[in-house]
Amino acid sequence: MTRTLLIVSGGAAAAVAAARARDLGHTVVVSDSDPQAPAFAFADSCLIADAHGAVETAAAAERYSRKIRKIDGVLCLADYALAAATVTDRLRLPGLPLHVAELASDRLAIRRCFQSAGIPAPWHAEISTPQELQRVIIARGKAVAIMPVENLGSHGRQLMTDAEDPAAAFQVTREASPSQRVMVEQVPEGTPVMLDCWMQNGACQIAGNADTRDIAGRAVSALGISDGPAVCEIVMQPGSPQVTAIAARLGSEAFLDRAIAAALGSP
């Protein structure tokens, strides 16, 4: 049976998902603020909406679902979990609970969850001025990164080892944050490993190194995600790996068919 899938954001990964969903016989709607978004080429319908604005995306989806074609499911392949969850909440569709998406969209809240659950993660702090950043660099060296408090992936993230002017870098990162909030984090030594995770009834499956399944599953569970996709970055260190990043979204194509089915309400 043909169903209608909304994909929030229209980047390269979304283009792959849109093409696959159409191959499976579904109608595909893609929302993005960029009229030239790659996934629009594979969409049956396009919505111009900024995924950074969860309410804007939800309003556009609601209008489409009410006036043009009923949306049956929502999929997100970029760091816009809150926008996707706002849509599913408003349209009463399967998806991440809104309060979990809000948590997963805030790096400081994520770190507090990790601390409560005993999950190893790098040292971090919120900073409000370039002077605070300079004091951190003096105390901890330049092996630190600054980033928006919002969990926006690599957007606005800067390594201080690459920054000629930390004060200018701070201003750039603050401008990249919708709330003008900045945090600094130690960059641990070691090789980062990106893991695609799939949670089902609280059990974690991963595409990648099976040795990291336990810590990845604990990290995803700490955010309250019991079902659906997540992406977890782990830095392998002697003795204890550290979870350096996590996102409540689909990563590679490893679990794509499963994610499409789950979004549309199939087991």
PDB file of all heavy atoms in Angstrom, residues 120 122 157 185-195 212 215 232-245:
ATOM      1  N   PRO A 120      31.020   7.544  30.395  1.00  0.00           N
ATOM      2  CA  PRO A 120      32.201   8.408  30.252  1.00  0.00           C
ATOM      3  C   PRO A 120      32.090   9.334  29.051  1.00  0.00           C
ATOM      4  O   PRO A 120      31.757   8.908  27.945  1.00  0.00           O
ATOM      5  CB  PRO A 120      33.354   7.410  30.089  1.00  0.00           C
ATOM      6  CG  PRO A 120      32.716   6.141  29.624  1.00  0.00           C
ATOM      7  CD  PRO A 120      31.340   6.115  30.211  1.00  0.00           C
ATOM      8  N   PRO A 122      33.755  13.486  27.601  1.00  0.00           N
ATOM      9  CA  PRO A 122      34.801  14.481  27.842  1.00  0.00           C
ATOM     10  C   PRO A 122      34.364  15.582  28.816  1.00  0.00           C
ATOM     11  O   PRO A 122      33.171  15.877  28.956  1.00  0.00           O
ATOM     12  CB  PRO A 122      35.055  15.072  26.445  1.00  0.00           C
ATOM     13  CG  PRO A 122      34.513  14.070  25.488  1.00  0.00           C
ATOM     14  CD  PRO A 122      33.361  13.424  26.181  1.00  0.00           C
ATOM     15  N   ARG A 157      30.980  24.175  15.160  1.00  0.00           N
ATOM     16  CA  ARG A 157      32.009  23.553  16.003  1.00  0.00           C
ATOM     17  C   ARG A 157      33.393  23.942  15.486  1.00  0.00           C
ATOM     18  O   ARG A 157      33.658  23.849  14.283  1.00  0.00           O
ATOM     19  CB  ARG A 157      31.859  22.036  15.996  1.00  0.00           C
ATOM     20  CG  ARG A 157      32.814  21.306  16.941  1.00  0.00           C
ATOM     21  CD  ARG A 157      32.567  19.798  16.899  1.00  0.00           C
ATOM     22  NE  ARG A 157      33.340  19.089  17.903  1.00  0.00           N
ATOM     23  CZ  ARG A 157      34.591  18.660  17.738  1.00  0.00           C
ATOM     24  NH1 ARG A 157      35.218  18.883  16.579  1.00  0.00           N
ATOM     25  NH2 ARG A 157      35.220  18.016  18.702  1.00  0.00           N
ATOM     26  N   GLU A 185      34.569  21.981  25.127  1.00  0.00           N
ATOM     27  CA  GLU A 185      34.712  20.569  25.483  1.00  0.00           C
ATOM     28  C   GLU A 185      36.136  20.112  25.191  1.00  0.00           C
ATOM     29  O   GLU A 185      36.725  20.489  24.174  1.00  0.00           O
ATOM     30  CB  GLU A 185      33.713  19.748  24.670  1.00  0.00           C
ATOM     31  CG  GLU A 185      33.656  18.281  25.007  1.00  0.00           C
ATOM     32  CD  GLU A 185      32.493  17.608  24.307  1.00  0.00           C
ATOM     33  OE1 GLU A 185      32.674  17.156  23.159  1.00  0.00           O
ATOM     34  OE2 GLU A 185      31.396  17.560  24.887  1.00  0.00           O
ATOM     35  N   GLN A 186      36.665  19.294  26.086  1.00  0.00           N
ATOM     36  CA  GLN A 186      37.980  18.705  25.855  1.00  0.00           C
ATOM     37  C   GLN A 186      37.898  17.744  24.673  1.00  0.00           C
ATOM     38  O   GLN A 186      36.911  17.017  24.513  1.00  0.00           O
ATOM     39  CB  GLN A 186      38.435  17.933  27.096  1.00  0.00           C
ATOM     40  CG  GLN A 186      39.911  17.579  27.104  1.00  0.00           C
ATOM     41  CD  GLN A 186      40.776  18.755  27.543  1.00  0.00           C
ATOM     42  OE1 GLN A 186      40.492  19.390  28.550  1.00  0.00           O
ATOM     43  NE2 GLN A 186      41.833  19.035  26.786  1.00  0.00           N
ATOM     44  N   VAL A 187      38.914  17.760  23.829  1.00  0.00           N
ATOM     45  CA  VAL A 187      38.984  16.815  22.712  1.00  0.00           C
ATOM     46  C   VAL A 187      39.873  15.659  23.142  1.00  0.00           C
ATOM     47  O   VAL A 187      41.090  15.821  23.282  1.00  0.00           O
ATOM     48  CB  VAL A 187      39.550  17.483  21.445  1.00  0.00           C
ATOM     49  CG1 VAL A 187      39.666  16.462  20.322  1.00  0.00           C
ATOM     50  CG2 VAL A 187      38.669  18.652  21.022  1.00  0.00           C
ATOM     51  N   PRO A 188      39.304  14.486  23.379  1.00  0.00           N
ATOM     52  CA  PRO A 188      40.117  13.372  23.874  1.00  0.00           C
ATOM     53  C   PRO A 188      41.038  12.818  22.796  1.00  0.00           C
ATOM     54  O   PRO A 188      40.738  12.889  21.600  1.00  0.00           O
ATOM     55  CB  PRO A 188      39.069  12.332  24.288  1.00  0.00           C
ATOM     56  CG  PRO A 188      37.874  12.646  23.460  1.00  0.00           C
ATOM     57  CD  PRO A 188      37.884  14.126  23.237  1.00  0.00           C
ATOM     58  N   GLU A 189      42.161  12.272  23.232  1.00  0.00           N
ATOM     59  CA  GLU A 189      43.066  11.609  22.300  1.00  0.00           C
ATOM     60  C   GLU A 189      42.458  10.275  21.884  1.00  0.00           C
ATOM     61  O   GLU A 189      41.807   9.600  22.667  1.00  0.00           O
ATOM     62  CB  GLU A 189      44.425  11.377  22.956  1.00  0.00           C
ATOM     63  CG  GLU A 189      45.181  12.656  23.288  1.00  0.00           C
ATOM     64  CD  GLU A 189      46.538  12.369  23.889  1.00  0.00           C
ATOM     65  OE1 GLU A 189      46.907  11.176  23.971  1.00  0.00           O
ATOM     66  OE2 GLU A 189      47.231  13.329  24.276  1.00  0.00           O
ATOM     67  N   GLY A 190      42.689   9.906  20.654  1.00  0.00           N
ATOM     68  CA  GLY A 190      42.162   8.638  20.172  1.00  0.00           C
ATOM     69  C   GLY A 190      41.414   8.819  18.869  1.00  0.00           C
ATOM     70  O   GLY A 190      41.183   9.938  18.398  1.00  0.00           O
ATOM     71  N   THR A 191      41.027   7.707  18.289  1.00  0.00           N
ATOM     72  CA  THR A 191      40.336   7.709  17.000  1.00  0.00           C
ATOM     73  C   THR A 191      38.833   7.653  17.206  1.00  0.00           C
ATOM     74  O   THR A 191      38.325   6.720  17.838  1.00  0.00           O
ATOM     75  CB  THR A 191      40.770   6.494  16.160  1.00  0.00           C
ATOM     76  OG1 THR A 191      42.187   6.526  15.993  1.00  0.00           O
ATOM     77  CG2 THR A 191      40.091   6.509  14.800  1.00  0.00           C
ATOM     78  N   PRO A 192      38.082   8.638  16.694  1.00  0.00           N
ATOM     79  CA  PRO A 192      36.623   8.582  16.833  1.00  0.00           C
ATOM     80  C   PRO A 192      36.015   7.537  15.904  1.00  0.00           C
ATOM     81  O   PRO A 192      36.442   7.380  14.759  1.00  0.00           O
ATOM     82  CB  PRO A 192      36.177  10.000  16.450  1.00  0.00           C
ATOM     83  CG  PRO A 192      37.266  10.527  15.588  1.00  0.00           C
ATOM     84  CD  PRO A 192      38.533   9.875  16.033  1.00  0.00           C
ATOM     85  N   VAL A 193      35.028   6.833  16.418  1.00  0.00           N
ATOM     86  CA  VAL A 193      34.313   5.812  15.654  1.00  0.00           C
ATOM     87  C   VAL A 193      32.840   6.201  15.618  1.00  0.00           C
ATOM     88  O   VAL A 193      32.228   6.429  16.667  1.00  0.00           O
ATOM     89  CB  VAL A 193      34.473   4.419  16.301  1.00  0.00           C
ATOM     90  CG1 VAL A 193      33.667   3.373  15.535  1.00  0.00           C
ATOM     91  CG2 VAL A 193      35.940   4.021  16.353  1.00  0.00           C
ATOM     92  N   MET A 194      32.270   6.298  14.417  1.00  0.00           N
ATOM     93  CA  MET A 194      30.850   6.614  14.273  1.00  0.00           C
ATOM     94  C   MET A 194      30.051   5.320  14.192  1.00  0.00           C
ATOM     95  O   MET A 194      30.372   4.431  13.391  1.00  0.00           O
ATOM     96  CB  MET A 194      30.604   7.448  13.021  1.00  0.00           C
ATOM     97  CG  MET A 194      31.211   8.839  13.071  1.00  0.00           C
ATOM     98  SD  MET A 194      30.513   9.874  14.384  1.00  0.00           S
ATOM     99  CE  MET A 194      28.819  10.023  13.826  1.00  0.00           C
ATOM    100  N   LEU A 195      29.031   5.215  15.013  1.00  0.00           N
ATOM    101  CA  LEU A 195      28.219   4.005  15.069  1.00  0.00           C
ATOM    102  C   LEU A 195      26.776   4.315  14.707  1.00  0.00           C
ATOM    103  O   LEU A 195      26.175   5.240  15.258  1.00  0.00           O
ATOM    104  CB  LEU A 195      28.256   3.403  16.475  1.00  0.00           C
ATOM    105  CG  LEU A 195      29.621   2.983  17.018  1.00  0.00           C
ATOM    106  CD1 LEU A 195      29.491   2.582  18.476  1.00  0.00           C
ATOM    107  CD2 LEU A 195      30.189   1.839  16.200  1.00  0.00           C
ATOM    108  N   THR A 212      31.700  -2.079  20.880  1.00  0.00           N
ATOM    109  CA  THR A 212      31.191  -0.806  21.400  1.00  0.00           C
ATOM    110  C   THR A 212      29.681  -0.829  21.627  1.00  0.00           C
ATOM    111  O   THR A 212      29.099   0.183  21.991  1.00  0.00           O
ATOM    112  CB  THR A 212      31.528   0.331  20.420  1.00  0.00           C
ATOM    113  OG1 THR A 212      30.981   0.003  19.134  1.00  0.00           O
ATOM    114  CG2 THR A 212      33.031   0.518  20.292  1.00  0.00           C
ATOM    115  N   ILE A 215      28.402   0.304  25.395  1.00  0.00           N
ATOM    116  CA  ILE A 215      28.440   1.721  25.757  1.00  0.00           C
ATOM    117  C   ILE A 215      27.530   2.544  24.845  1.00  0.00           C
ATOM    118  O   ILE A 215      26.877   3.492  25.291  1.00  0.00           O
ATOM    119  CB  ILE A 215      29.885   2.273  25.741  1.00  0.00           C
ATOM    120  CG1 ILE A 215      29.905   3.680  26.349  1.00  0.00           C
ATOM    121  CG2 ILE A 215      30.475   2.268  24.345  1.00  0.00           C
ATOM    122  CD1 ILE A 215      31.295   4.212  26.594  1.00  0.00           C
ATOM    123  N   CYS A 232      25.990   7.467  17.203  1.00  0.00           N
ATOM    124  CA  CYS A 232      26.823   7.657  18.387  1.00  0.00           C
ATOM    125  C   CYS A 232      28.292   7.724  17.962  1.00  0.00           C
ATOM    126  O   CYS A 232      28.742   6.887  17.180  1.00  0.00           O
ATOM    127  CB  CYS A 232      26.599   6.487  19.345  1.00  0.00           C
ATOM    128  SG  CYS A 232      27.235   6.719  20.993  1.00  0.00           S
ATOM    129  N   GLU A 233      29.009   8.731  18.457  1.00  0.00           N
ATOM    130  CA  GLU A 233      30.448   8.829  18.200  1.00  0.00           C
ATOM    131  C   GLU A 233      31.199   8.471  19.476  1.00  0.00           C
ATOM    132  O   GLU A 233      30.937   9.040  20.535  1.00  0.00           O
ATOM    133  CB  GLU A 233      30.831  10.235  17.755  1.00  0.00           C
ATOM    134  CG  GLU A 233      32.319  10.373  17.446  1.00  0.00           C
ATOM    135  CD  GLU A 233      32.728  11.799  17.119  1.00  0.00           C
ATOM    136  OE1 GLU A 233      32.956  12.578  18.071  1.00  0.00           O
ATOM    137  OE2 GLU A 233      32.798  12.128  15.926  1.00  0.00           O
ATOM    138  N   ILE A 234      32.123   7.538  19.347  1.00  0.00           N
ATOM    139  CA  ILE A 234      32.897   7.070  20.494  1.00  0.00           C
ATOM    140  C   ILE A 234      34.375   7.189  20.165  1.00  0.00           C
ATOM    141  O   ILE A 234      34.807   6.826  19.064  1.00  0.00           O
ATOM    142  CB  ILE A 234      32.538   5.607  20.830  1.00  0.00           C
ATOM    143  CG1 ILE A 234      31.066   5.512  21.261  1.00  0.00           C
ATOM    144  CG2 ILE A 234      33.448   5.054  21.920  1.00  0.00           C
ATOM    145  CD1 ILE A 234      30.579   4.098  21.480  1.00  0.00           C
ATOM    146  N   VAL A 235      35.139   7.725  21.100  1.00  0.00           N
ATOM    147  CA  VAL A 235      36.590   7.769  20.951  1.00  0.00           C
ATOM    148  C   VAL A 235      37.173   6.616  21.752  1.00  0.00           C
ATOM    149  O   VAL A 235      36.956   6.510  22.964  1.00  0.00           O
ATOM    150  CB  VAL A 235      37.173   9.112  21.436  1.00  0.00           C
ATOM    151  CG1 VAL A 235      38.697   9.042  21.485  1.00  0.00           C
ATOM    152  CG2 VAL A 235      36.741  10.233  20.501  1.00  0.00           C
ATOM    153  N   MET A 236      37.876   5.750  21.057  1.00  0.00           N
ATOM    154  CA  MET A 236      38.458   4.580  21.696  1.00  0.00           C
ATOM    155  C   MET A 236      39.738   4.981  22.417  1.00  0.00           C
ATOM    156  O   MET A 236      40.669   5.507  21.807  1.00  0.00           O
ATOM    157  CB  MET A 236      38.754   3.507  20.649  1.00  0.00           C
ATOM    158  CG  MET A 236      37.555   3.131  19.797  1.00  0.00           C
ATOM    159  SD  MET A 236      36.134   2.569  20.772  1.00  0.00           S
ATOM    160  CE  MET A 236      36.801   1.046  21.456  1.00  0.00           C
ATOM    161  N   GLN A 237      39.759   4.769  23.720  1.00  0.00           N
ATOM    162  CA  GLN A 237      40.924   5.077  24.536  1.00  0.00           C
ATOM    163  C   GLN A 237      41.317   3.851  25.343  1.00  0.00           C
ATOM    164  O   GLN A 237      40.463   3.010  25.656  1.00  0.00           O
ATOM    165  CB  GLN A 237      40.608   6.228  25.502  1.00  0.00           C
ATOM    166  CG  GLN A 237      40.390   7.565  24.840  1.00  0.00           C
ATOM    167  CD  GLN A 237      40.215   8.665  25.871  1.00  0.00           C
ATOM    168  OE1 GLN A 237      39.486   8.516  26.834  1.00  0.00           O
ATOM    169  NE2 GLN A 237      40.912   9.767  25.666  1.00  0.00           N
ATOM    170  N   PRO A 238      42.581   3.735  25.695  1.00  0.00           N
ATOM    171  CA  PRO A 238      42.985   2.616  26.553  1.00  0.00           C
ATOM    172  C   PRO A 238      42.222   2.664  27.876  1.00  0.00           C
ATOM    173  O   PRO A 238      42.162   3.691  28.530  1.00  0.00           O
ATOM    174  CB  PRO A 238      44.484   2.863  26.769  1.00  0.00           C
ATOM    175  CG  PRO A 238      44.903   3.717  25.616  1.00  0.00           C
ATOM    176  CD  PRO A 238      43.721   4.578  25.299  1.00  0.00           C
ATOM    177  N   GLY A 239      41.597   1.574  28.213  1.00  0.00           N
ATOM    178  CA  GLY A 239      40.890   1.501  29.490  1.00  0.00           C
ATOM    179  C   GLY A 239      39.426   1.841  29.397  1.00  0.00           C
ATOM    180  O   GLY A 239      38.581   1.048  29.778  1.00  0.00           O
ATOM    181  N   SER A 240      39.091   3.018  28.854  1.00  0.00           N
ATOM    182  CA  SER A 240      37.691   3.437  28.851  1.00  0.00           C
ATOM    183  C   SER A 240      37.384   4.297  27.636  1.00  0.00           C
ATOM    184  O   SER A 240      37.918   5.402  27.504  1.00  0.00           O
ATOM    185  CB  SER A 240      37.374   4.220  30.128  1.00  0.00           C
ATOM    186  OG  SER A 240      36.042   4.702  30.090  1.00  0.00           O
ATOM    187  N   PRO A 241      36.514   3.827  26.737  1.00  0.00           N
ATOM    188  CA  PRO A 241      36.097   4.671  25.618  1.00  0.00           C
ATOM    189  C   PRO A 241      35.218   5.810  26.123  1.00  0.00           C
ATOM    190  O   PRO A 241      34.579   5.702  27.173  1.00  0.00           O
ATOM    191  CB  PRO A 241      35.308   3.712  24.727  1.00  0.00           C
ATOM    192  CG  PRO A 241      34.829   2.640  25.649  1.00  0.00           C
ATOM    193  CD  PRO A 241      35.872   2.506  26.711  1.00  0.00           C
ATOM    194  N   GLN A 242      35.185   6.915  25.384  1.00  0.00           N
ATOM    195  CA  GLN A 242      34.353   8.053  25.747  1.00  0.00           C
ATOM    196  C   GLN A 242      33.339   8.333  24.647  1.00  0.00           C
ATOM    197  O   GLN A 242      33.667   8.278  23.460  1.00  0.00           O
ATOM    198  CB  GLN A 242      35.209   9.297  25.986  1.00  0.00           C
ATOM    199  CG  GLN A 242      36.060   9.233  27.239  1.00  0.00           C
ATOM    200  CD  GLN A 242      36.635  10.595  27.600  1.00  0.00           C
ATOM    201  OE1 GLN A 242      36.688  11.507  26.792  1.00  0.00           O
ATOM    202  NE2 GLN A 242      37.058  10.727  28.846  1.00  0.00           N
ATOM    203  N   VAL A 243      32.114   8.651  25.060  1.00  0.00           N
ATOM    204  CA  VAL A 243      31.077   9.044  24.108  1.00  0.00           C
ATOM    205  C   VAL A 243      31.216  10.542  23.868  1.00  0.00           C
ATOM    206  O   VAL A 243      31.038  11.345  24.784  1.00  0.00           O
ATOM    207  CB  VAL A 243      29.675   8.707  24.638  1.00  0.00           C
ATOM    208  CG1 VAL A 243      28.615   9.126  23.612  1.00  0.00           C
ATOM    209  CG2 VAL A 243      29.555   7.218  24.934  1.00  0.00           C
ATOM    210  N   THR A 244      31.558  10.915  22.653  1.00  0.00           N
ATOM    211  CA  THR A 244      31.834  12.317  22.346  1.00  0.00           C
ATOM    212  C   THR A 244      30.689  13.017  21.630  1.00  0.00           C
ATOM    213  O   THR A 244      30.629  14.246  21.615  1.00  0.00           O
ATOM    214  CB  THR A 244      33.112  12.435  21.497  1.00  0.00           C
ATOM    215  OG1 THR A 244      33.014  11.544  20.375  1.00  0.00           O
ATOM    216  CG2 THR A 244      34.336  12.056  22.323  1.00  0.00           C
ATOM    217  N   ALA A 245      29.778  12.258  21.024  1.00  0.00           N
ATOM    218  CA  ALA A 245      28.635  12.876  20.342  1.00  0.00           C
ATOM    219  C   ALA A 245      27.538  11.842  20.177  1.00  0.00           C
ATOM    220  O   ALA A 245      27.802  10.636  20.094  1.00  0.00           O
ATOM    221  CB  ALA A 245      29.045  13.436  18.983  1.00  0.00           C
TER     222      ALA A 245
END
